[in-house]
Amino acid sequence: MTGTVARATARMLERRRVTRTGVTRISVLVAVAAAVWFGRTDLVGALAGSALLGLVLCCDAVRDRMRANRRDALTLWTVSVAAQLREYVVYVGLAFGAAVGGSAGAWGWAAGALIALALRDSLLVARSAPPAPAGAKPLVLPAQRRPEGVRVPAPRAGAAEPAQAREDSGTGRAAEPPSALPLPVLARRVLLFGQPTRFLVIAVAATVGDARLVFLSLIVGCAVAITGELVDPSSRGVRR
């Protein structure tokens, strides 16, 4: 049902010549409005800010279903920068409201959440880097080259095979460690602590607590994502 509504909205916006970049700008403005409401530090502000965060995610769903305007490099860069900017704006709104309300150390908690988020993003970007092409030749330094005319002796019959070769025989690949066993995709998405999950945490924590609970929850969530990526790095393809 949600996909149908997002698809219909995307078609309506395309008929009005709204591009993906335009939808991204709208989501940033909605995030600014959410930050303003979160600055009130009361239940009404938390509920209104949470609803606007949900609208931000709806904008993302609509943008992903737009057919016009190819996903060129500039559009992808704009979307990536805007996604980070709108989240930072929400953090500033939460910290500002908490500081005005007399919460000590609100800006420090916000800085801690930003540092944890930066560590989480840097690790996942490094892990998601594409591997070297299969046909690429390894770099051989001059000192590693064999003199011409020198032949490498073939292994003698009955010689012991290397341990890695024995593992590969019969299976076609080395035995995978238990930590590489796949997890359900949904659980993997939650453990990665992407922006939709972070927005959900912000909405719940702001409703039941204050800004300090929000930032503490974000720090813990980023720490869990970093730990999960180090323990189970087989989550490529589900990051968002």
Side-chain angles (χ1 to χ4, degrees):
M1 183 64 181
T2 304
T4 303
V5 174
R7 192 176 301 108
T9 306
R11 301 297 171 266
M12 180 190 68
L13 293 176
E14 287 174 337
R15 288 193 294 269
R16 297 178 180 273
R17 300 184 183 277
V18 179
T19 63
R20 286 193 176 93
T21 305
V23 176
T24 300
R25 295 195 188 101
I26 295 173
S27 70
V28 173
L29 295 177
V30 175
V32 172
V36 172
W37 278 103
F38 279 130
R40 289 187 48 167
T41 67
D42 57 3
L43 182 59
V44 175
L47 292 176
S50 301
L52 290 172
L53 285 184
L55 186 57
V56 170
L57 298 180
C58 290
C59 290
D60 290 347
V62 170
R63 185 192 63 234
D64 292 341
R65 285 165 176 79
M66 296 181 73
R67 295 177 299 187
N69 309 111
R70 295 179 302 171
R71 294 182 175 89
D72 53 8
L74 180 59
T75 301
L76 294 176
W77 178 83
T78 303
V79 170
S80 177
V81 172
Q84 298 294 331
L85 176 62
R86 68 193 186 188
E87 186 168 357
Y88 297 159
V89 168
V90 172
Y91 289 10
V92 171
L94 288 164
F96 179 79
V100 172
S103 177
W107 292 106
W109 283 104
L114 287 175
I115 293 173
L117 178 60
L119 292 175
R120 178 255 179 204
D121 291 344
S122 61
L123 175 64
L124 264 64
V125 168
R127 292 281 183 153
S128 62
K137 297 182 179 179
L139 178 63
V140 180
L141 300 178
Q144 296 174 322
R145 294 173 182 166
R146 295 191 301 269
E148 295 184 1
V150 177
R151 300 177 59 185
V152 179
R156 293 175 298 176
E161 297 180 355
Q164 183 65 31
R166 289 197 302 269
E167 289 180 6
D168 294 347
S169 61
T171 61
R173 58 186 177 88
E176 296 183 355
S179 60
L181 295 178
L183 295 173
V185 176
L186 180 59
R188 202 186 300 273
R189 287 185 181 276
V190 173
L191 290 177
L192 285 173
F193 206 58
Q195 193 172 80
T197 306
R198 296 195 297 271
F199 279 0
L200 177 61
V201 169
I202 291 173
V204 174
T207 303
V208 302
D210 55 4
R212 288 179 297 180
L213 179 60
V214 173
F215 294 134
L216 178 61
S217 301
L218 292 172
I219 293 172
V220 172
C222 290
V224 171
I226 293 172
T227 304
E229 181 64 18
L230 293 175
V231 173
D232 180 25
S234 61
S235 55
R236 292 179 183 175
V238 298
R239 295 188 177 102
R240 182 179 176 84

